[in-house]
């Protein structure tokens, strides 16, 4: 029966119809070759397809179309044609070579390695296969280094490795997505968005690219838009763990932040402070949102008179985002309230350099004035009164301090004590001379130097 089948097949193969089909297929192939040599790859593709339609069992036709698809950068289709070619003819060396190259371009170094090994079995001296096999090994090493870098959160190293890998595997979406994700984690959002957008233009249902787009928006504090992308990614790939976690974090962060804002609006500053604290524990990687949360907590802390903690929170916000003007302004105000005028001036200078508004200029001048005033003798402290003291309060305070430090009262003291008390008595006289005179007091409060305008010498007439 087998012999009969062979004879029947042979007779069929020799039939005029089959011969005509073979000639027609060869004609299409030759036309395809002509267009290929002229780099008119779309036309070449059409004619190779016609050849395959007429003679679908010819491995070389698939090989030719695979080469054309590679020139058209349609590497997944080229891979399918290459695989079909070697299924039809396992000894088709060019088919194995093209399949390996497609695997390389698509980022599958292990599969590429197997293809090049097959070529070397068929032709041990094939230099092209040897070189491509080395390239596959290099690609595997970049993958290994990138995996290790991601595990250690060394995202710059991952980006470096993926850039090198993409020189070889230019069509690998997986490498592009990993690079984009790391760019987002490094805060390089426009670059990450660009990579993800390029992939989505080719494949609008790519869940990984949708996730990266959402991640960029999430880290830029556009949480509502980010959630939309995460939900879309989960619709495309319900098991996408990163998208699920990011979506959960985004929703929790938004809810907790809004609770804190509402508590602050209701003047419940303790509750707001606590809610902002809880929000800060949700996702340490969200730099921009956390910077705002630190600043919000500083505002609540200032209301609660926790000025030092408020300063620390503003500093944390600035470390996360050194362009955050609101944090500099809040910290500067806290410095003013704690009489740390040099620090306040430094922050207001930073703000004014960035945004030269009249309001910021006024704040800077006020801080500079307070700094200047802080370096003079504080006559209010000398008399032990507040800056809002009345004339009567100033007089009473002067009499009390003058009696306390009068030289006659310390005549029996040691020379050192007498000298110190005499000095304090003179300071009390100076303070009273300035603060009891409305014009001098006004100039003193305005920051003018009054040392050359005369002062009490501490004598009995002044008292």
């Amino acid at each position: 029966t087998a012999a009969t089948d062979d004879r029947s097949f042979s007779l069929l193969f020799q039939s005029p119809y089959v011969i005509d089909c073979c000639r027609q297929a060869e004609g299409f192939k030759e036309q395809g070759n002509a267009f290929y040599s002229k780099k008119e790859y779309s036309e070449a593709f059409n004619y190779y397809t016609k050849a395959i339609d007429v003679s679908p069992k010819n491995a070389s036709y698939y090989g030719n179309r695979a080469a054309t698809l590679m020139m058209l950068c349609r590497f997944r289709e080229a891979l399918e044609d290459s695989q079909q070619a070697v299924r039809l003819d396992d000894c088709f060396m060019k088919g194995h070579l093209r399949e390996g190259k497609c695997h390389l371009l698509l980022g599958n170094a292990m599969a590429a390695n197997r293809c090049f090994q097959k070529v070397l079995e068929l032709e041990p001296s094939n230099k092209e296969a040897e070189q491509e096999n080395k390239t596959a090994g290099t690609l595997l090493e970049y993958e290994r280094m990138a995996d290790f870098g991601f595990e250690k959160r060394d995202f710059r190293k991952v980006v470096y490795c993926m850039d090198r890998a993409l020189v070889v595997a230019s069509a690998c979406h997986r490498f592009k997505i990993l690079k984009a994700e790391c760019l987002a984690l490094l805060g390089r959002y426009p670059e990450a968005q660009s990579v993800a957008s390029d992939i989505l233009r080719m494949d609008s249902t790519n869940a990984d690219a949708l996730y990266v787009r959402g991640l960029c928006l999430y880290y830029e504090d556009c949480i509502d838009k980010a959630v939309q992308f995460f939900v879309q990614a989960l619709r495309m790939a319900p098991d996408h763990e990163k998208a699920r976690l990011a979506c959960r974090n985004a929703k929790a962060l938004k809810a907790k932040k809004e609770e804190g804002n509402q508590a602050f609006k209701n003047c419940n500053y303790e509750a707001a402070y606590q809610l902002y604290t809880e929000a800060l524990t949700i996702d340490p990687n969200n730099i921009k949102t956390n910077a705002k949360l630190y600043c919000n907590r500083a505002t609540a802390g200032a209301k609660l008179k926790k000025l030092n903690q408020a300063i620390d929170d503003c500093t944390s916000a600035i470390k996360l985002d050194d362009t955050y003007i609101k944090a500099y302004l809040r910290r500067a105000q806290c410095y003013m309230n704690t009489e740390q005028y040099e620090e306040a001036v430094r922050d207001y200078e930073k703000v004014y350099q960035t945004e030269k508004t009249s309001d910021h200029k006024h704040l800077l001048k006020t801080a500079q004035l307070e700094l200047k005033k802080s370096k003079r003798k504080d006559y209010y402290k000398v008399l032990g009164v507040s800056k809002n003291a009345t004339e009567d309060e100033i007089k009473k305070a002067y009499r009390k301090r003058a009696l306390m430090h009068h030289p006659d009262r310390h005549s029996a003291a040691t020379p050192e004590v007498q000298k110190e008390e005499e000095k304090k008595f003179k300071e009390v006289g100076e303070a009273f001379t300035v603060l009891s005179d409305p014009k001098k007091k006004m100039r003193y409060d305005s920051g003018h130097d009054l040392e050359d305008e005369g002062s009490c010498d501490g004598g009995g007439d002044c008292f």
Side-chain angles (χ1 to χ4, degrees):
T1 304
T4 304
D5 289 343
D6 289 341
R7 282 195 300 274
S8 299
F9 180 79
S10 177
L11 288 170
L12 178 64
F13 187 80
Q14 297 297 325
S15 69
Y17 172 76
V18 172
I19 292 171
D20 185 57
C21 286
C22 288
R23 284 175 179 167
Q24 187 181 14
E26 280 296 306
F28 287 140
K29 185 195 80 169
E30 292 302 324
Q31 286 176 285
N33 290 347
F35 281 114
Y36 188 95
S37 64
K38 291 189 288 186
K39 299 183 179 180
E40 295 181 26
Y41 301 117
S42 294
E43 285 299 320
F45 171 81
N46 291 334
Y47 279 100
Y48 290 140
T49 300
K50 288 178 182 180
I52 289 169
D53 290 341
V54 173
S55 182
K57 299 295 183 183
N58 190 309
S60 67
Y61 297 165
Y62 286 99
N64 286 1
R65 191 169 73 172
T68 305
L69 286 165
M70 289 175 73
M71 299 308 295
L72 291 168
C73 297
R74 292 160 62 179
F75 301 114
R76 294 191 184 279
E77 296 168 78
L79 176 61
E80 291 172 9
D81 272 0
S82 299
Q83 290 173 328
Q84 179 62 14
V86 297
R87 275 195 292 269
L88 292 169
D89 181 0
D90 190 50
C91 294
F92 185 26
M93 187 184 66
K94 284 186 177 179
H96 288 294
L97 196 58
R98 285 179 186 136
E99 182 188 351
K101 288 182 177 180
C102 288
H103 280 308
L104 264 187
L105 285 160
L106 293 167
N108 191 343
M110 293 291 287
N113 175 264
R114 288 193 294 270
C115 295
F116 299 135
Q117 289 292 347
K118 180 67 177 179
V119 173
L120 291 169
E121 286 175 20
L122 295 169
E123 188 181 303
S125 61
N126 191 301
K127 298 296 182 185
E128 187 176 5
E130 284 181 8
Q131 184 57 48
E132 294 289 5
N133 209 22
K134 288 179 182 177
T135 302
T138 302
L139 187 61
L140 279 171
E141 181 61 17
Y142 280 131
E143 279 194 79
R144 187 194 66 77
M145 289 166 62
D147 289 341
F148 183 76
F150 194 90
E151 186 182 333
K152 298 295 183 183
R153 301 187 65 80
D154 186 355
F155 302 125
R156 285 184 177 81
K157 185 169 188 176
V158 179
V159 170
Y160 171 85
C161 290
M162 289 301 94
D163 279 337
R164 298 301 178 278
L166 284 165
V167 172
V168 176
S170 58
C172 181
H173 286 181
R174 182 166 52 89
F175 292 169
K176 290 177 181 178
I177 288 294
L178 181 56
K179 175 185 173 179
E181 183 179 359
C182 289
L183 286 169
L185 291 167
L186 289 167
R188 293 160 63 179
Y189 307 121
E191 295 171 75
Q193 287 271 30
S194 177
V195 175
S197 296
D198 286 345
I199 293 172
L200 289 170
R201 273 193 287 273
M202 293 181 281
D203 178 10
S204 62
T205 64
N206 189 298
D208 291 323
L210 290 166
Y211 159 71
V212 170
R213 284 288 302 275
L215 195 65
C216 291
L217 290 164
Y218 171 58
Y219 284 150
E220 290 182 292
D221 200 36
C222 301
I223 292 180
D224 288 333
K225 287 184 179 179
V227 168
Q228 291 174 12
F229 275 99
F230 294 144
V231 169
Q232 197 176 347
L234 288 167
R235 196 176 294 127
M236 297 299 116
D239 295 330
H240 202 296
E241 278 303 315
K242 287 183 176 180
R244 180 177 287 105
L245 176 62
C247 191
R248 185 166 65 240
N249 282 346
K251 288 178 177 178
L253 200 54
K254 182 189 175 189
K256 193 67 71 174
K257 183 182 175 185
E258 287 179 349
E259 282 183 67
N261 292 347
Q262 190 57 52
F264 189 90
K265 286 178 184 176
N266 294 337
C267 300
N268 191 347
Y269 303 125
E270 284 284 3
Y273 192 92
Q274 182 58 35
L275 287 163
Y276 292 138
T277 301
E278 292 171 13
L280 281 163
T281 66
I282 292 173
D283 186 1
N285 293 322
N286 195 321
I287 291 171
K288 217 155 197 177
T289 301
N290 287 343
K292 291 182 178 180
L293 287 169
Y294 274 118
C295 194
N296 287 2
R297 190 170 74 173
T299 306
K303 291 287 187 181
L304 295 167
K305 306 302 180 186
K306 298 178 179 179
L307 295 177
N308 288 329
Q309 293 96 316
I311 289 170
D312 290 342
D313 276 347
C314 290
T315 301
S316 296
I318 290 165
K319 282 181 181 176
L320 294 176
D321 181 2
D322 63 1
T323 66
Y324 192 12
I325 295 298
K326 192 174 179 181
Y328 283 106
L329 289 170
R330 171 61 54 197
R331 187 170 69 175
Q333 185 57 58
C334 290
Y335 280 140
M336 292 290 286
N337 293 340
T338 53
E339 299 184 2
Q340 299 180 66
Y341 300 120
E342 287 188 11
E343 291 81 356
V345 167
R346 185 181 64 237
D347 278 354
Y348 282 134
E349 283 176 341
K350 172 73 175 178
V351 170
Y352 186 63
Q353 286 168 5
T354 307
E355 294 181 1
K356 294 188 184 315
T357 68
S358 57
D359 286 344
H360 294 160
K361 185 176 182 179
H362 174 71
L363 289 169
L364 175 57
K365 283 187 172 296
T366 301
Q368 288 171 333
L369 176 60
E370 291 301 321
L371 174 60
K372 181 180 177 182
K373 287 159 67 174
S374 71
K375 292 182 176 180
R376 310 170 306 171
K377 288 181 184 176
D378 188 336
Y379 289 145
Y380 291 101
K381 282 186 178 179
V382 170
L383 294 183
V385 296
S386 73
K387 293 179 180 180
N388 298 318
T390 64
E391 286 185 35
D392 285 343
E393 287 172 335
I394 289 171
K395 285 178 182 177
K396 286 178 183 177
Y398 165 65
R399 293 191 185 104
K400 181 179 177 181
R401 291 297 174 103
L403 284 170
M404 185 187 303
H405 300 297
H406 197 283
D408 292 347
R409 191 169 184 176
H410 302 281
S411 58
T414 64
E416 290 80 7
V417 171
Q418 287 182 13
K419 187 175 181 180
E420 182 63 27
E421 291 299 326
E422 184 179 351
K423 178 183 175 184
K424 289 180 180 179
F425 181 68
K426 286 183 178 180
E427 286 179 349
V428 168
E430 289 173 13
F432 181 70
T433 298
V434 172
L435 300 183
S436 63
D437 184 319
K439 289 184 179 180
K440 288 182 178 180
K441 182 176 183 297
M442 184 178 69
R443 287 177 61 76
Y444 175 80
D445 289 342
S446 299
H448 291 284
D449 293 322
L450 304 174
E451 291 180 1
D452 299 328
E453 296 188 20
S455 62
C456 179
D457 61 3
D461 291 342
C462 184
F463 175 66

